[in-house]
Amino acid sequence: MTSLSSSVCSSRAFRRLSRRSGRRHPLLVLSALALAALALPRPASAQATPASRIAVGGLALEQLDPAPAGDALFGVPSPSVGGHLMPRALLMFDYAHNPLQLHGDNPASVVSSQAFLRLDASLSLWERLLVSLDMPFAVLQAGDDPGTPGVAYHVPSSAAAGDLRLGVRGRLFGADHAPFQMALGAYLFVPTAPAGSYAGEGAFRGAPHVLVGGRLPLSAPLSIAWSATAGAVLRGSDNPHTLTFGAGAALVLGRDRLRIGPELYGAAPLSDRPMLSAPGAIVTSSAPVNAELLLGARVRLLGGLELGAAGGPGLSSAIGTPAFRLVALAGWSPAPSDEPAPQARPADRDGDGILDTADACPGTRGIASDDRARHGCPKADRDGDGVLDVADACPMTPGPSSLDLTKNGCPPDRDGDGIADVVDACPDLRGAPSAAPRQNGCPGDRDGDGVLDRVDACPSLAGESSPDRSRNGCPEDIDGDGLKPPEDACPREKGARDPDPTQSGCPKNLRIRDREIALRRPIRFVMYGRDRKDTVEPIPDEVLTEVRDVLEQHPEIKLVEVRGHADDAGDPAFNLRIAEERADAVRLWLVEAGVPKEKLVAKGYGDTDPIAPNRTQDDRQKNRRVQLFILQEE
């Protein structure tokens, strides 16, 4: 639905036009006519009114310019021409609802209904050129004057002729019904509509455009006809010039027995001049770009008779874009020939006498071969090692011949890792390719310290080789806490110096042993009554910080399970729920402390794994706990 507002300025109306294609010389003729028309005197757009009111009118609202008779779609033209001296004709009726509606203090539908009856004819020439004629008649127009102070809107109420359209297009390349065609075209609009009406613009207009399209075959008897166009409308009035666009496709059954599909078309102004105006007043749109969508179907009945219908909404609030449009047509065009299309000659691109359908190398001249994979390929030895490419397992790398067909023509590779011995830094050890020559073909060494990962006790930290397997490939101070073994009792976890040699260099609150991150300061839980869940006592930040630091110091730890436990007071289902809540609470605390959430999983074990007999309050308190266990390491 078009949304408009009024203000003081001067301009003329804006009208969108479709695009068509034509032949070179007629295009020049039409272009010359259009340019000459631009120099003609311009008629006034406003009707005579009292001096106290300003008249607004004279705008070609119709946004649908039908494709010439014989085209596949309703509003998007095709680059196809089809034949010589082939006439085609159609009668089209289209109805637009609310193409010009005013909003604001005085809302009204200035043009609430507009219907056109069109007579269209075309003639194809020399299978290259199509000339066409389209004459529209506005047979239904209705609306209301919003009563804006000082502004009189022309409200249509009677039938009127529209602007006569002359068209020409010339196909540049692509045969009729080919998958891709291209054409150039142009329209010339002659101002045959009454001055000041909504059926024409009162001035000559020219519309050059380019078209592409074609017919894409599917499984018989289906195909898809498609078209796209882009162009411009050059006006001899004060209305702004516009860019036009359109695209559509239709599913075709048989030889054009049925066509059904969507199409989109529209226009955009090339300047910010008002769309509809008279001296002293303008009407502007909330959206300058016209756009409409149609879904249509056509059926061929007998001989060349064709019937069709389409409908769809306007997609913008620009002047002239209706809330919805309905279209019906009856047309005639010569029935498609039932003769099969001529078959293309089998291709042989390289000219070696072997058709592309059987040529394994269709772009390179070759020789015949019983091997289908080499039939039509040249007899070559690209690496010059004396082993022909047809039998060379490494046709781009020279190597000796071998009875083993998988190694024939390949350089020696003793360890079989796919890296030739001449560039393999570890020719007797299977490895992987590497950009570093010293590592190419060698087993992994992520930290690049010369100690292979499979024997490196610290594969992510560069260190020195050592006969001590637990220290091989590790730096002297693994955890970076400033203490070195034997002074550091926990060489893989940061800690402070301590007078107790067994605690020096170790975290204060935890240890890693037997795949458990054991907390020396346990996480305690307090019961506030059987009918309330346990709550966790506040955990000092230093405990969470040490857990986070330990996980950062051990990137090989990929997954830790936070296990929640309960005592045996209450029923097992209640205890299991409480245990899960405890585990979830501790996991959340650790994530907030900086531990990546993907490294943690929480699980409740209820009262199934006590560490004390559950006979005293102290024992029960010990069983209400959370533990951290390492589930996955590299």
Side-chain angles (χ1 to χ4, degrees), residues 4 36 45 186 194 203 225 270 278 282 319 362 414 450 453 495 520 545:
L4 308 175
S45 62
L270 290 174
I282 64 170
I319 293 176
R414 294 197 300 270
D453 289 347
R520 303 184 68 192
T545 301

Side-chain angles (χ1 to χ4, degrees), residues 519-528 533-544 565 578 581-583 585-587 589-590 617-618 620-622 624-626:
L519 303 180
R520 303 184 68 192
R521 295 177 60 183
I523 302 173
R524 298 292 187 181
F525 295 85
V526 179
M527 290 287 291
Y528 289 100
K533 72 177 185 179
D534 298 354
T535 59
V536 185
E537 290 181 344
I539 300 178
D541 288 344
E542 60 180 334
V543 176
L544 299 178
H565 299 276
I578 290 298
E581 291 175 354
R582 290 169 176 164
V586 173
R587 179 182 179 274
W589 286 346
L590 291 173
Q617 286 300 326
D618 287 342
R620 294 183 186 279
Q621 177 77 320
K622 293 177 182 177
R624 296 195 295 267
R625 71 194 190 280
V626 165

Side-chain angles (χ1 to χ4, degrees), residues 413-612:
D413 178 18
R414 294 197 300 270
D415 54 17
D417 59 4
I419 300 171
D421 291 348
V422 293
V423 293
D424 195 334
C426 303
D428 296 309
L429 293 174
R430 294 178 64 88
S434 173
R438 292 181 56 188
Q439 296 298 321
N440 191 34
C442 292
D445 179 16
R446 283 173 291 172
D447 54 18
D449 59 3
V451 180
L452 300 180
D453 289 347
R454 59 190 177 88
V455 294
D456 195 333
C458 301
S460 300
L461 297 173
E464 301 291 336
S465 60
S466 171
D468 182 355
R469 295 180 60 182
S470 66
R471 301 281 305 160
N472 191 29
C474 294
E476 290 188 82
D477 182 11
I478 300 174
D479 54 18
D481 59 4
L483 300 175
K484 303 175 183 178
E487 185 181 10
D488 195 339
C490 298
R492 293 180 178 274
E493 293 84 44
K494 283 185 179 181
R497 191 183 305 275
D498 194 284
D500 183 354
T502 63
Q503 302 298 324
S504 186
C506 295
K508 292 173 57 178
N509 299 300
L510 60 86
R511 293 287 188 277
I512 296 180
R513 58 171 183 265
D514 298 330
R515 301 185 68 81
E516 180 184 4
I517 303 175
L519 303 180
R520 303 184 68 192
R521 295 177 60 183
I523 302 173
R524 298 292 187 181
F525 295 85
V526 179
M527 290 287 291
Y528 289 100
R530 280 299 167 82
D531 58 341
R532 301 181 62 176
K533 72 177 185 179
D534 298 354
T535 59
V536 185
E537 290 181 344
I539 300 178
D541 288 344
E542 60 180 334
V543 176
L544 299 178
T545 301
E546 287 191 2
V547 172
R548 179 200 62 198
D549 291 345
V550 164
L551 292 178
E552 288 179 352
Q553 294 160 21
H554 292 271
E556 72 277 6
I557 298 177
K558 297 301 181 184
L559 187 62
V560 173
E561 182 179 73
V562 182
R563 299 181 180 179
H565 299 276
D567 60 27
D568 64 354
D571 92 312
F574 174 78
N575 292 338
L576 179 60
R577 180 169 62 83
I578 290 298
E580 289 174 347
E581 291 175 354
R582 290 169 176 164
D584 285 335
V586 173
R587 179 182 179 274
L588 177 59
W589 286 346
L590 291 173
V591 170
E592 291 177 348
V595 178
K597 61 182 180 181
E598 62 272 12
K599 282 195 173 187
L600 299 171
V601 61
K603 183 176 180 181
Y605 286 83
D607 56 14
T608 60
D609 188 19
I611 59 174

